[in-house]
């Protein structure tokens, strides 16, 4: 495997980790208005992701930063080409990020309610738009002969990209509910509500992912060049998704969370396999010849060598201390006490 | 406005808003790490320093989140608004940016959570290590981003092949002398921001005689940092101006509003009315010799004027307008220097009062009042400093290689304008909230009665030190 291929898959890995990690903290925020009825419950739910969300969010900055350094042309084309979507994601993330910090700074119910809506909306918008962006990557953008992308807001939305958005949104909700099953004390009402939410949203997520795969197959020729082995990924995504229902009904919480995590992983990898097998990281909707290929968007060899050293040193280190972070805060949260004494 | 102007405005506003929060974060992280270290080492004073860390830590946290989220905008906008620039420099510029994320952002965002939420779970030495990792992380982050910025001012270790800058020597990029100079300046000024923040708040409470045991100590820590920070900023800033005369002569000439090459010894303009259209200063008050001292540390020496440099640039890069907005650069530079000098004097006056006699500092009320008023000054100096350095290099994005117009994304102006309006609305709200919450929290001070707290939670248990909480639990 040469360095260009290696870095393509490392970027795929970074995006996958981002969706895996921030997926569940988005999910918790999205479920909170439905699950929490009282103030201690609100705070317990926020407390489940309190020490983690910030570290999770950095993965998207890493994904963008690594893309910039290893595939600058791809990075520039994707980010400028989907300008309106990224602006919306940024606005949402800005408001969401501060909502955690500011929610409890002023002792007023209206103030708290305002920030609860900010964190809900701040999770809803990116959860949906990341799916739209992934779908648009497969579908392609209007790339012209000079590799420039003509953006435009209306061009961002097609039936396929809307289904893509719904898929990530529902999948993150399911993933968030499964995460809550690991983080909440099992003898609380909140835990039971989270379980019911997982079953309900899991069913909808299954419908959405099936629709996405079928549409991808029919209208986008998503799997046209897939070999037998790559086909395993969308199939595996579906199987893991289906197994969640089984795990939930047998009250195997860890298994359910692992499975929703794997679904996120297989789904994201499917998108990147599609880009890889076509050899075009950004197809053009204007003319098939204008699409950006992996090689022509990549950095020079020297930069890739440098980045490989950097990645080899720091990525394992980061994953290591983040795992330790989760280990330190492994204790389950309960609304009546604990976990919230200092913070959020 | 066209897409270039709008994108420039967008980039400038994001950078300035981002830096408003980040300069405080970078400096304060270090001060808090020092406070916590004293709390750890001096077990006899643990309670006092514990309260201090909790109080300033609370303020730190209010500010930290906004710094993180505005940083995402900062990073995304290279691709969003400057995709042609990204194409041109990606081989080089992306590397420090990626290093910043991998070496610093993860460290900061993970260990800040461990430090704050882990009070009752981590051994005291682990908590101490966590805040130090956060502090070190913020400095590493500042280093890489400043290095990336310095490369745009003074590109090294590259060659241009097929319209792309290709990296030839990464060591040259890392050891770019300009990067280290900028880093020293940015770092020093971040310490100044944080030190005067701590000083002002401590002075406020000392004036009201609240918790004098805590605030007189934080005043001392703040003074030490203020002295180191101001000296660092002034020395590195002076050097920066001198190297600008060599490798960015246009910026230097604009700083001085010097239209034609000066005589030797060169005077220094204290106040000037600038007419950019006629390319002259109708009115100027000048101090003899100071210009040469500033440029050469000597009583003689001339430097080139804007008109002469413009001719050279026309010959070198083709006909065009290479004159930056002179009045902006000229006045920003003067405001920055004036504030810097004032703060340097203030810090050393404080050290003198502290040394003169015991309790002398805490009972000099006019000095304490001045400290409260001075809280915003370092920020103003920062903004004006960035205006000097960034406007001074116009029209270049990468000095001598790529102009701003060449670097912009092929977006439509309407698209960028819509985004700009959204971002401004949120930025203004965030900056307002940040200032409001910092003020409220800072004025409330270390409260004893929970019901007196306007601030509900993550308001720490100010009485606890964290160390005790660990012992209580384990």
């Amino acid at each position: 495997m040469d360095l260009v291929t290696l870095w393509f898959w490392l970027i795929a890995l970074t995006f996958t980790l981002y969706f895996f990690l921030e997926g569940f903290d988005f999910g918790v925020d999205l479920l909170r208005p439905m699950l929490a009825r009282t103030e201690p419950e609100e705070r317990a739910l926020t407390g489940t992701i309190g020490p983690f969300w910030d570290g999770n969010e950095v993965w998207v900055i890493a994904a963008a930063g690594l893309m910039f350094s290893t595939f600058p042309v791809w990075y520039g084309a994707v980010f400028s080409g989907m300008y309106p979507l990224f602006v919306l994601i940024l606005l949402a993330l800005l408001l969401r990020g501060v909502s955690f910090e500011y929610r409890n700074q002023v002792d007023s119910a209206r103030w708290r309610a305002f920030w609860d809506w900010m964190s809900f909306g701040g999770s809803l918008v990116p959860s949906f738009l990341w799916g739209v962006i992934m779908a648009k990557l497969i579908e392609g953008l209007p790339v012209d002969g000079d590799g420039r992308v003509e953006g435009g807001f209306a061009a961002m939305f097609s039936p396929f990209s809307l289904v893509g958005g719904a898929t990530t949104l529902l999948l993150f909700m399911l993933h968030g509910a499964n995460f809550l099953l690991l983080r909440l004390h099992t003898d609380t009402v909140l835990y039971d509500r989270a379980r019911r939410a997982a079953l309900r949203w899991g069913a909808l997520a299954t419908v959405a992912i099936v629709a996405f795969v079928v549409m991808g197959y029919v209208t986008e020729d998503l799997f046209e060049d897939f070999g037998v082995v790559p086909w395993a990924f969308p199939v595996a995504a579906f199987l893991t998704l289906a197994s969640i229902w089984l795990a939930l009904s047998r009250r195997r919480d860890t298994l359910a969370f692992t499975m929703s995590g794997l679904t996120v992983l297989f789904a994201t990898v499917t998108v990147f396999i599609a880009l890889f097998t076509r050899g075009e990281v950004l197809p053009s909707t204007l003319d098939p010849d204008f699409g950006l290929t992996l090689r022509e968007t990549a950095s020079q060899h020297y930069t890739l060598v440098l980045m490989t050293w950097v990645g080899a040193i720091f990525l394992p280190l980061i994953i290591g201390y983040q795992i330790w972070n989760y280990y330190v805060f492994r204790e389950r949260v309960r609304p009546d006490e604990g976990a919230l004494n200092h913070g959020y | 406005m066209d897409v270039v102007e709008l994108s420039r405005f967008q980039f400038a506003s994001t950078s300035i808003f981002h830096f408003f929060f980040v300069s405080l974060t970078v400096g304060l992280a270090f001060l808090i790490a020092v406070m916590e270290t004293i709390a750890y080492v001096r077990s006899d004073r643990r309670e006092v320093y514990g309260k201090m860390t909790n109080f300033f830590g609370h303020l730190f946290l209010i500010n930290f989140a906004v710094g993180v989220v505005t940083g995402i905008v900062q990073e995304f906008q290279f691709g969003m608004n400057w995709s042609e620039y990204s194409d041109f420099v990606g081989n080089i510029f992306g590397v420090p940016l990626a290093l910043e994320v991998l070496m610093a952002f993860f460290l900061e965002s993970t260990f800040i959570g461990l430090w704050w939420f882990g009070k009752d779970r981590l051994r005291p030495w682990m908590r101490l290590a966590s805040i130090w990792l956060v502090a070190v992380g913020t400095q590493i982050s500042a280093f890489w981003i400043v290095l990336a910025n310095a490369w745009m001012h003074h590109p090294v270790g590259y060659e241009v092949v097929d319209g792309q800058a290709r990296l030839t020597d990464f060591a040259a990029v890392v050891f770019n002398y300009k990067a280290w100079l900028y880093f020293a300046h940015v770092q020093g000024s971040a310490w100044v921001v944080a030190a005067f923040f701590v000083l002002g708040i401590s002075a406020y409470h000392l004036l009201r005689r609240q918790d004098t045991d805590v605030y007189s100590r934080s005043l001392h820590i703040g003074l030490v940092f203020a002295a180191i920070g101001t000296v660092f900023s002034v020395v590195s800033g002076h050097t920066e101006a001198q190297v600008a005369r060599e490798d960015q002569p246009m910026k230097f000439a604009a700083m001085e509003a010097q239209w034609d090459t000066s005589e030797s010894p060169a005077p220094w303009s204290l106040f000037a009315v600038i007419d950019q259209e006629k390319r002259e200063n109708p009115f100027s008050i000048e101090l003899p010799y100071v210009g040469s001292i500033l440029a050469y540390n000597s009583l003689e020496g001339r430097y080139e004027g804007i008109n002469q440099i413009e001719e050279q640039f026309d010959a070198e890069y083709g006909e065009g307008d290479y004159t930056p907005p002179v009045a902006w650069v000229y006045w920003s530079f003067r405001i920055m220097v004036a504030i810097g000098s004032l703060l340097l004097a203030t810090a050393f006056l404080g050290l003198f009062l502290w040394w003169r006699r015991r309790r002398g500092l805490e009972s000099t009320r006019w000095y304490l009042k001045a400290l409260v008023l001075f809280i915003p000054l370092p920020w103003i100096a920062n903004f004006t400093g960035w205006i000097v350095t960034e406007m001074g290099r116009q029209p270049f994005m990468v000095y001598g290689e790529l102009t701003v117009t060449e670097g912009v994304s092929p977006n439509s102006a309407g698209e960028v304008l819509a985004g700009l309006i959204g971002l401004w609305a949120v930025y203004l709200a965030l900056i307002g909230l940040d200032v409001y919450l910092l003020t409220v929290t800072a004025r409330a001070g270390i409260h004893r009665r929970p019901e007196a707290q306007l601030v509900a939670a993550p308001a720490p248990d100010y009485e606890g030190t964290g160390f005790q909480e660990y012992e209580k639990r384990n």
Side-chain angles (χ1 to χ4, degrees):
Chain A
M1 186 153 58
D2 67 346
L3 288 180
V4 175
T5 315
L6 174 74
W7 272 103
F8 176 82
W9 287 111
L10 280 176
I11 304 249
L13 170 80
T14 324
F15 270 107
T16 307
L17 273 173
Y18 172 64
F19 293 144
F20 176 87
L21 293 168
E22 186 127 286
F24 65 69
D25 69 55
F26 279 152
V28 171
D29 266 351
L30 289 167
L31 291 168
R32 196 174 35 192
M34 291 171 244
L35 300 188
R37 313 256 155 92
T38 63
E39 175 57 19
E41 288 176 355
E42 295 262 4
R43 292 178 62 173
L45 286 181
T46 314
T48 59
I49 52 172
F52 310 125
W53 72 270
D54 200 357
N56 294 348
E57 194 160 281
V58 182
W59 282 100
V60 75
I61 313 182
L66 292 174
M67 231 172 133
F68 192 178
S69 54
T70 53
F71 296 94
V73 181
W74 188 26
Y75 165 76
V78 168
F79 279 69
S80 68
M82 294 193 257
Y83 194 84
L85 300 189
F86 283 103
V87 168
L88 289 174
I89 287 182
L90 286 175
L91 292 175
L93 291 182
L94 280 163
L95 291 169
R96 176 180 191 249
V98 290
S99 72
F100 291 108
E101 225 73 63
Y102 287 176
R103 180 183 189 278
N104 296 317
Q105 297 289 350
V106 174
D107 190 11
S108 132
R110 283 178 66 186
W111 173 275
R112 279 193 292 264
F114 174 78
W115 289 112
D116 285 342
W117 280 109
M118 286 300 123
S119 74
F120 175 79
S123 302
L124 181 73
V125 170
S127 296
F128 183 78
L129 290 185
W130 279 118
V132 174
I133 288 173
M134 287 293 137
K136 279 315 273 185
L137 279 181
I138 298 171
E139 226 176 25
L141 292 171
V143 185
D144 71 13
D146 297 324
R148 293 194 172 80
V149 185
E150 334 258 324
F153 197 62
M156 296 300 113
F157 298 101
S158 63
F160 183 59
S161 73
L162 290 175
V163 173
T167 307
T168 46
L169 179 66
L170 292 166
L171 196 53
F172 289 168
M173 287 177 81
L174 166 67
H175 195 38
N178 283 339
F179 181 69
L180 285 177
L181 298 183
L182 296 183
R183 292 286 292 141
L184 290 169
H185 217 279
T186 44
D187 59 8
T188 56
V189 224
L190 264 187
Y191 175 87
D192 294 330
R193 284 186 211 142
R195 221 178 135 260
R196 282 197 295 275
L199 286 165
R200 189 175 317 141
W201 295 104
L204 286 175
T206 312
V207 175
I209 205 166
V210 170
F212 185 76
V213 169
V214 170
M215 274 185 92
Y217 184 76
V218 177
T219 66
E220 306 301 325
D221 302 328
L222 175 58
F223 307 107
E224 196 177 328
D225 302 314
F226 269 39
V228 177
V229 177
W231 254 109
F233 285 88
V235 172
F238 183 72
L239 289 180
T240 50
L241 195 62
S243 69
I244 294 169
W245 186 81
L246 210 65
L248 285 173
S249 62
R250 302 212 170 153
R251 294 183 178 267
R252 302 274 305 274
D253 297 339
T254 318
L255 185 69
F257 179 73
T258 313
M259 287 303 152
S260 59
L262 284 175
T263 311
V264 172
L265 180 131
F266 289 133
T268 318
V269 169
T270 304
V271 170
F272 281 89
I273 289 180
L275 297 177
F276 189 75
T277 50
R278 293 166 173 193
E280 277 189 340
V281 283
L282 191 64
S284 171
T285 49
L286 300 178
D287 184 330
D289 293 339
F290 292 163
L292 298 178
T293 67
L294 200 56
R295 309 256 144 218
E296 66 192 22
T297 59
S299 282
Q300 63 183 111
H301 186 69
Y302 180 28
T303 304
L304 292 178
V305 171
L306 208 63
M307 286 308 301
T308 307
W309 280 102
V310 170
I313 295 168
F314 289 105
L315 285 174
L317 197 66
I318 292 163
I319 292 172
Y321 62 65
Q322 285 211 338
I323 290 175
W324 182 64
N325 188 21
Y326 283 90
Y327 175 75
V328 170
F329 297 104
R330 64 195 177 280
E331 197 172 325
R332 284 171 186 266
V333 174
R334 43 190 322 148
D336 43 343
E337 48 126 347
L340 288 162
N341 290 337
H342 7 256
Y344 297 148
Chain B
M1 283 206 279
D2 64 356
V3 70
V4 179
E5 302 256 298
L6 286 166
S7 296
R8 267 185 70 191
F9 189 62
Q10 193 272 339
F11 194 90
S13 27
T14 299
S15 309
I16 282 188
F17 279 115
H18 177 56
F19 205 71
F20 176 89
F21 305 105
V22 165
S23 55
L24 179 62
T25 304
V26 169
L28 200 54
F30 224 86
L31 264 113
I32 292 173
V34 168
M35 291 171 187
E36 177 129 353
T37 308
I38 304 177
Y40 182 80
V41 174
R42 296 205 48 188
S43 48
D44 53 327
R45 294 250 174 259
R46 193 159 273 180
E47 202 185 328
V48 172
Y49 285 101
K51 274 188 214 169
M52 193 194 298
T53 340
N54 283 344
F55 175 67
F56 286 107
H58 184 188
L59 293 167
F60 177 80
L61 231 71
I62 290 175
N63 193 66
F64 181 78
V66 206
V68 173
V69 287
T70 49
I72 308 181
V73 188
Q74 188 74 13
E75 201 208 27
F76 277 23
Q77 67 188 357
F78 291 113
M80 290 166 64
N81 292 78
W82 306 102
S83 60
E84 297 290 312
Y85 167 79
S86 305
D87 287 6
F88 181 73
V89 299
N91 282 319
I92 301 164
F93 193 85
V95 179
L97 216 60
L99 275 163
E100 184 188 12
V101 181
L102 296 182
M103 285 175 76
F105 287 175
F106 280 109
L107 206 63
E108 292 171 64
S109 55
T110 308
F111 282 93
I112 191 75
L114 280 161
W115 177 64
W116 195 251
F117 296 105
K119 280 179 182 160
D120 52 356
R121 284 149 224 249
L122 294 183
R123 289 168 196 282
W125 72 265
M126 283 178 166
R127 270 202 74 210
L128 182 63
S130 300
I131 189 67
W132 272 107
L133 287 173
V134 174
V136 169
T138 59
Q139 325 299 306
I140 296 175
S141 156
F143 174 75
W144 287 116
I145 194 68
V146 166
L147 179 129
N149 175 270
W151 187 85
M152 296 162 79
H153 285 271
H154 183 66
V156 287
Y158 75 108
E159 56 181 359
V160 177
V161 183
D162 299 334
Q164 266 196 335
R166 295 179 76 85
L167 186 60
T168 53
D169 185 359
F170 187 63
V173 174
V174 174
F175 295 107
N176 185 354
Y177 78 95
K178 207 145 204 180
W180 289 86
L181 206 51
Y182 280 13
F183 177 58
H185 197 57
V186 166
Q187 189 68 10
S189 53
W191 283 24
V192 176
V193 170
F196 277 88
F197 181 78
V198 169
L199 284 175
I201 292 168
S202 308
Y204 176 87
H205 290 288
L206 285 173
L207 284 167
R208 277 158 192 72
R209 303 206 162 79
Q210 290 160 351
D211 295 293
T212 46
D213 52 337
V214 176
Y215 291 116
S216 75
R217 287 187 172 82
S218 60
L219 193 74
H220 296 164
I221 297 175
L223 271 181
V224 174
F225 270 88
I228 300 172
T230 45
V231 169
F232 240 77
S233 316
V234 169
V235 173
S236 58
H238 178 62
T239 320
E240 245 180 65
Q242 291 191 333
V243 300
R245 187 189 54 75
E246 285 165 29
D247 58 24
Q248 291 181 311
M250 189 58 109
K251 186 196 282 185
F252 187 83
M255 273 153 64
E256 301 306 331
Q258 189 74 35
W259 294 99
D260 289 301
T261 300
S262 74
E263 53 228 58
S264 171
W268 189 71
S269 164
L270 188 67
F271 181 96
V273 178
I274 295 159
D275 187 338
Q276 178 133 3
E277 268 178 37
K278 289 189 189 148
R279 301 179 81 84
E280 62 175 29
N281 304 334
F283 176 76
S284 175
I285 302 173
E286 294 179 338
L287 304 174
Y289 295 107
V290 181
S292 294
I293 297 174
L294 186 74
Y296 296 98
N297 295 337
S298 148
L299 287 179
E300 53 191 89
R302 64 179 79 239
Y303 54 86
E304 289 178 292
I306 298 168
N307 293 331
Q308 285 70 33
I309 303 164
E310 181 80 35
E311 278 168 32
Q312 291 166 27
F313 278 18
D314 281 342
E316 202 171 333
Y317 306 116
E319 290 289 320
D321 183 7
Y322 296 97
T323 310
V326 178
W328 278 90
V329 179
Y330 175 90
W331 281 111
S332 300
F333 181 64
R334 264 142 201 80
I335 295 169
M336 173 183 75
V337 170
I339 293 176
S341 316
L342 176 64
L343 296 180
L344 179 80
T346 311
F348 280 89
L349 179 62
L351 287 182
F352 171 73
L353 289 171
W354 181 14
W355 165 81
R356 196 180 50 173
R357 65 192 160 88
R358 200 151 167 71
R359 318 294 314 164
L361 174 61
E362 286 85 344
S363 54
T364 314
R365 294 182 67 86
W366 60 268
Y367 182 75
L368 297 180
K369 282 179 188 160
L371 286 182
V372 180
L373 292 175
F374 283 2
I375 294 178
L377 289 186
W379 269 289
I380 300 173
N382 266 332
F383 293 162
T384 47
W386 278 111
I387 287 171
V388 173
T389 197
E390 296 305 307
M391 275 204 181
R393 79 169 130 139
Q394 289 302 321
F396 286 119
M397 202 164 182
V398 179
Y399 208 76
E401 289 289 354
L402 187 82
T403 63
V404 171
T405 318
E406 290 165 340
V408 81
S409 296
N411 293 327
S412 73
E415 214 170 57
V416 179
L417 181 66
L420 193 56
I421 292 169
L423 286 172
W424 261 82
V426 174
Y427 286 155
L428 287 179
L430 290 185
I431 220 159
L433 279 167
D434 192 60
V435 172
Y436 169 72
L437 289 174
L438 286 178
T439 313
V440 167
T441 313
R443 287 170 71 159
I446 299 162
H447 20 230
R448 268 149 215 87
R449 294 167 299 129
E451 66 273 19
Q453 288 183 197
L454 184 79
V455 187
D461 172 9
Y462 285 118
E463 298 299 310
T465 59
F467 300 111
Q468 290 146 353
E469 282 167 54
Y470 178 79
E471 280 150 23
K472 238 184 287 168
R473 187 183 157 103
N474 294 281

